[in-house]
Amino acid sequence: MRKAQTELLGVAIIVVILVMGGLFMVAGSLNKKESVTPSIIDQELAQSFLNTLMSTDTDTNVDVMTLVKDGCYQDRKELCNQAPNCCVYVRQIMENSLESTLKAIGRKYQLNVSSSIGPKIDSIPTGKVCTKYMRSSQVTYSIPSVPQILVTLTIC
Amino acid sequence: MRKAQLQIMENIFVILIITVLLVLAFVFAIGMQKRDARAKQEEMKELDLLKKARVLDFLPEMQCSDNNYLNPDCYDLIKLQAFVSVNPSDHLFYKSLFGRLNITVMVLDPNLDATDRWPREWHIYDYTGGKYTSYQTFYRPVTLRDPVNMTSYFGWIILGVYG
C-alpha cells in the first residue's frame, strides 16, 4: 500500500510540474506586448494619403479640398466640370485614388467625409470594412471652412 | 535483485520521459523566440524603409521650394526629371545615402475621364549591390508639383529594398 502511494505521488508531482510549465508558456505568449511599428507605418501612410489627395489638382484646375468645400458643400457646379452632382463627382475622384493605390496594394480602408450639417458624400467604400476586431490606424484631415468638414481615413 | 533492477529501470524510464518532454518544450520555446525575432527583423526593415523615404523628402534635388519655403511633402517635377537624368545609381554619394534600394515615382490621374490612371513614371534609383535574396516594397503618397503650370499631381513612391 505504502509503495503504491509513493508511486502515485511521484506521478502526481510530474503532472503538476508539466501543467505549471504549460501554464507559464501560455501566460508568456498571452502577455506579449504588441509592437507599435505597424500602426506608425499605417498612420504615416494614411496621413500622407490625405495630405496628397487634398492638394491634388483635378481637370478643372481646382484641388480636391476646394472641390469638397466649395463644389460639394457650397454647391458650386462650375468647379466640377458642370457635373449634375458635385458631391458624387468628388467622391468618384477620391474613390479612383483609393482604388489605384491602397486597394491595389491589398490594404483595407474606409474614408468618411463628415460635417456638422450632415454627410453629403457617401463613405468609401459603402458599408463597414474596418471592424473593431481589426488593428486600424485612423487619421483626420480638417478642411478649414464654415461649417467645418472632416475627412477621416482609416486603414485596417 | 530482479525487483531492484526493475525498480531502477522504472526510474530510468521516468527520467528519460521527463527529459524528452523538457527537450520538446525547449525546442518549442526556441521556435517561438525565432518567430518573434524574425517578426522584429521585418519591423526594423519597414522602419528603415520609412527612414529612407523621409531622407527622400528632404533631398534638395527633389524637394519643392517656393520663395525659399521648403515643403517636405512635395516633390518638384522639374527637379525630379533633372535628377533622373543625372542617373544617381552611378554615383557613390547616392549609393551611400540610399543603399540597396529601388526608387520609382509614379503619377496618378484620379480624374473620371482619365484613360490611363498611371500616365507617367520615373525610375530614380536602382542599386542591387550584387546578388539579393529578398525584396520588400514600401509605398508612400506624395504631392508632385509642376512649378511651370502651377499644378499639383498625386504622386506614388514605390520603395523597394533588396535583402
Side-chain angles (χ1 to χ4, degrees):
Chain A
M1 191 69 169
R2 211 174 149 76
K3 208 176 175 188
Q5 283 173 342
T6 318
E7 292 277 342
L8 267 171
L9 193 65
V11 170
I13 289 170
I14 290 167
V15 168
V16 163
I17 290 170
L18 286 174
V19 165
M20 276 174 64
L23 278 172
F24 273 122
M25 275 179 8
V26 167
S29 60
L30 285 173
N31 208 23
K32 229 182 299 200
K33 280 187 200 135
E34 206 181 291
S35 171
V36 296
T37 308
S39 63
I40 291 170
I41 290 168
D42 283 355
Q43 198 99 353
E44 175 91 13
L45 180 62
Q47 188 69 67
S48 302
F49 187 91
L50 280 182
N51 290 343
T52 305
L53 181 65
M54 290 297 124
S55 58
T56 298
D57 289 332
T58 60
D59 275 344
T60 52
N61 281 332
V62 162
D63 57 45
V64 172
M65 183 174 79
T66 308
L67 272 185
V68 172
K69 180 175 66 152
D70 296 333
C72 175
Y73 277 81
Q74 302 295 331
D75 215 19
R76 288 179 55 190
K77 288 198 170 66
E78 71 274 15
L79 298 175
C80 306
N81 241 348
Q82 300 298 335
N85 189 334
C86 213
C87 299
V88 170
Y89 179 84
V90 74
R91 185 187 183 275
Q92 191 61 51
I93 288 178
M94 293 198 282
E95 192 171 27
N96 289 344
S97 305
L98 284 162
E99 283 180 356
S100 303
T101 52
L102 296 181
K103 190 175 181 178
I105 61 171
R107 300 308 305 271
K108 288 199 170 92
Y109 54 84
Q110 187 98 49
L111 187 131
N112 293 307
V113 180
S114 60
S115 161
S116 54
I117 61 165
K120 282 189 147 194
I121 299 172
D122 291 338
S123 70
I124 305 166
T126 50
K128 205 169 174 64
V129 171
C130 297
T131 63
K132 59 178 178 178
Y133 301 108
M134 295 161 96
R135 191 192 69 219
S136 62
S137 294
Q138 190 179 76
V139 162
T140 302
Y141 186 99
S142 170
I143 296 176
S145 62
V146 176
Q148 192 184 39
I149 302 165
L150 297 173
V151 181
T152 308
L153 177 63
T154 310
I155 295 178
C156 51
Chain B
M1 190 68 173
R2 206 171 152 77
K3 228 179 174 179
Q5 282 174 335
L6 275 170
Q7 188 66 42
I8 288 168
M9 275 180 68
E10 199 186 297
N11 289 340
I12 290 169
F13 274 122
V14 165
I15 292 167
L16 205 67
I17 287 166
I18 292 173
T19 314
V20 164
L21 286 170
L22 281 172
V23 164
L24 281 172
F26 185 68
V27 164
F28 179 71
I30 295 289
M32 278 183 70
Q33 279 202 340
K34 255 187 173 173
R35 196 194 64 189
D36 290 346
R38 223 176 287 133
K40 203 79 190 165
Q41 209 177 22
E42 292 298 321
E43 278 178 25
M44 288 297 122
K45 268 191 192 164
E46 283 190 353
L47 273 176
D48 198 42
L49 272 178
L50 198 67
K51 273 192 272 179
K52 290 232 160 73
R54 276 290 170 204
V55 165
L56 270 181
D57 287 350
F58 290 94
L59 264 187
E61 290 91 326
M62 296 205 292
Q63 203 175 18
C64 287
S65 61
D66 185 14
N67 267 341
N68 284 332
Y69 167 68
L70 300 171
N71 185 349
D73 290 326
C74 171
Y75 290 11
D76 187 315
L77 266 177
I78 309 292
K79 283 186 187 178
L80 184 83
Q81 287 167 35
F83 188 52
V84 169
S85 68
V86 160
N87 204 5
S89 308
D90 290 341
H91 291 255
L92 193 61
F93 172 73
Y94 294 110
K95 280 182 193 171
S96 63
L97 188 67
F98 298 137
R100 297 168 68 192
L101 280 189
N102 182 327
I103 306 171
T104 304
V105 177
M106 298 169 81
V107 171
L108 168 69
D109 187 353
N111 291 298
L112 275 66
D113 53 357
T115 50
D116 180 11
R117 284 273 171 252
W118 301 101
R120 281 180 292 176
E121 74 175 59
W122 296 271
H123 295 284
I124 294 173
Y125 175 87
D126 188 8
Y127 177 63
T128 63
K131 283 186 190 168
Y132 62 95
T133 51
S134 66
Y135 185 76
Q136 198 180 357
T137 326
F138 179 75
Y139 303 91
R140 199 161 161 269
V142 70
T143 301
L144 294 175
R145 182 130 182 95
D146 184 344
V148 172
N149 300 320
M150 302 297 278
T151 311
S152 296
Y153 299 96
F154 191 112
W156 189 237
I157 298 177
I158 304 169
L159 269 177
V161 69
Y162 298 102

